[in-house]
Amino acid sequence: MSKIVVVTVATHEEGYIDSLRDGLYPTPLLVVGLGERWDNYTTKTKLLHNYLMQEGVKLPQDTIFVVCDAYDVLYNKRYQIADLQQEFLARNVDIMFSSFNFANEMGYVKYYANNILRPISFDSNFILSCNTGLYMGYRRALLPVLEKMLSVYDYDDERRLNTVLRECEPFKLLDTMLTCNFKTADNVLFKFGIDTTNSLFLTHFPASTGLEFYRLIFFGDYSPPLNIMEKSRAFFVHFIGNQNLDQICRKEGLYHNELTKMRKYTIAHKWAHYARYFYFEIGVVIAIVILVIWWNIKMYKRNRK
């Protein structure tokens, strides 16, 4: 049977990485990139690609890598890694990606998701953004996909991944996943799956119809439901957006301390990264502010006469 390796990219120890380790135990967590420089959101792809090129090639081609983010992913201890391996093998794909479905979100959220993430649209029920922080696949398939992602000029890893996957049409909807075929430059064909039912992976983000969405977006103050792990069928849960997982870790019996929430990943940090995708909106706001200031100055001068 294929060997399974859980790998994460982390330039330093922070966030909930120890909670992830604790949940996985006795399965080891392979950490790539410690001590390396973090430049932007594509650094993760580069460091993982470098590892697979230098060290990963020593492993058999059918080695299965589970790739997850380091600081905001937890493993559901109710399930065994061996079960995840069996579930993956049963799907008969080379890579399985986690995703977040925007189909049921509010209209303006869909609009900005399309602009920022370039999600994959498949009928009215699926507007899927695939998650580079949670996926799994054979070593033989991961390398060409990472190389293709690095060839896409963009600052965001999810935009790169979605751009690559959008070229893999046509898509086919099955019971538990959306599938497509990826052809390498050498005409090698790989089959991809996108987990549409959260049966392997869950990417958690509060719905835009509730106040929690705005608390997380604008204030970075959100704790997910305490029972999310026990209600989920997923093996891994990715809590995107720097959510506070302290209470969940306590409930699940996972190692943590009160400083585990990422402190560097502030609201300013998030807005600085995504501002480049809002140039038009930012320009409109600046123009309105300038117009209001000009009008008030004009009225002030008129009243002084």
Side-chain angles (χ1 to χ4, degrees):
M1 182 178 292
S2 303
K3 179 181 179 180
I4 189 165
V5 177
V6 182
V7 60
T8 189
V9 176
T11 55
H12 55 283
E13 298 272 345
E14 196 176 353
Y16 293 93
I17 188 170
D18 284 330
S19 305
L20 175 61
R21 279 197 186 99
D22 193 19
L24 283 167
Y25 183 82
T27 301
L29 176 65
L30 173 63
V31 181
V32 172
L34 283 175
E36 299 287 343
R37 175 181 170 179
W38 183 272
D39 294 318
N40 52 46
Y41 283 94
T42 63
T43 301
K44 176 172 60 179
T45 305
K46 294 176 183 176
L47 291 176
L48 181 59
H49 175 265
N50 292 343
Y51 165 77
L52 290 176
M53 286 290 291
Q54 297 166 13
E55 299 295 329
V57 292
K58 301 174 184 178
L59 297 173
Q61 289 211 34
D62 64 348
T63 301
I64 300 171
F65 284 92
V66 181
V67 183
C68 63
D69 273 3
Y71 306 134
D72 53 3
V73 172
L74 297 179
Y75 183 74
N76 196 335
K77 295 197 299 182
R78 294 164 182 79
Y79 307 113
Q80 302 294 319
I81 282 291
D83 296 327
L84 172 62
Q85 186 174 9
Q86 291 298 329
E87 291 277 354
F88 174 75
L89 294 173
R91 282 160 174 73
N92 194 31
V93 295
D94 295 294
I95 300 180
M96 175 67 75
F97 295 98
S98 64
S99 66
F100 185 84
N101 190 1
F102 287 93
N104 296 320
E105 300 297 324
M106 298 183 71
Y108 73 93
V109 174
K110 294 179 187 178
Y111 171 78
Y112 285 114
N114 275 304
N115 286 351
I116 296 173
L117 300 172
R118 296 177 182 162
I120 299 159
S121 296
F122 184 83
D123 68 42
S124 59
N125 297 314
F126 297 102
I127 304 175
L128 301 171
S129 180
C130 290
N131 182 4
T132 56
L134 196 52
Y135 58 98
M136 67 186 298
Y138 295 109
R139 181 183 72 81
R140 63 175 182 263
L142 289 175
L143 260 176
V145 171
L146 293 173
E147 289 171 356
K148 183 69 173 178
M149 287 174 61
L150 290 173
S151 71
V152 177
Y153 180 75
D154 208 298
Y155 295 99
D156 189 82
D157 52 352
E158 288 197 13
R159 282 169 62 94
R160 288 184 182 218
L161 175 58
N162 288 330
T163 298
V164 170
L165 292 178
R166 283 160 66 112
E167 297 176 0
C168 297
E169 294 180 334
F171 293 94
K172 183 178 180 181
L173 183 63
L174 303 179
D175 290 338
T176 60
M177 61 183 176
L178 196 66
T179 65
C180 62
N181 293 323
F182 172 80
K183 183 180 289 187
T184 69
D186 300 326
N187 290 323
V188 179
L189 199 65
F190 292 111
K191 184 179 180 181
F192 292 168
I194 301 173
D195 187 4
T196 56
T197 58
N198 301 323
S199 52
L200 299 184
F201 307 121
L202 172 62
T203 300
H204 177 70
F205 197 77
S208 58
T209 52
L211 293 177
E212 292 85 358
F213 173 82
Y214 303 96
R215 285 176 56 190
L216 180 59
I217 292 293
F218 294 106
F219 305 104
D221 177 27
Y222 170 73
S223 298
L226 283 177
N227 61 352
I228 187 170
M229 302 290 283
E230 60 186 277
K231 289 180 65 176
S232 174
R233 297 178 299 160
F235 293 82
F236 287 85
V237 182
H238 190 183
F239 299 89
I240 57 176
N242 197 27
Q243 302 173 35
N244 191 326
L245 308 182
D246 289 349
Q247 294 183 36
I248 287 182
C249 287
R250 280 194 289 270
K251 184 177 185 300
E252 295 292 316
L254 298 172
Y255 172 86
H256 77 292
N257 61 64
E258 298 304 322
L259 296 178
T260 47
K261 186 172 184 286
M262 287 286 287
R263 303 303 175 187
K264 294 181 180 179
Y265 193 69
T266 61
I267 296 300
H269 179 90
K270 286 191 281 188
W271 282 104
H273 173 70
Y274 289 111
R276 62 175 58 91
Y277 306 117
F278 292 90
Y279 285 150
F280 174 77
E281 289 80 358
I282 292 172
V284 170
V285 171
I286 292 174
I288 292 173
V289 170
I290 292 173
L291 185 61
V292 170
I293 293 173
W294 171 80
W295 180 258
N296 279 278
I297 292 174
K298 183 178 180 180
M299 290 296 101
Y300 175 76
K301 289 181 177 179
R302 177 180 295 179
N303 294 332
R304 289 281 302 266
K305 292 180 179 180

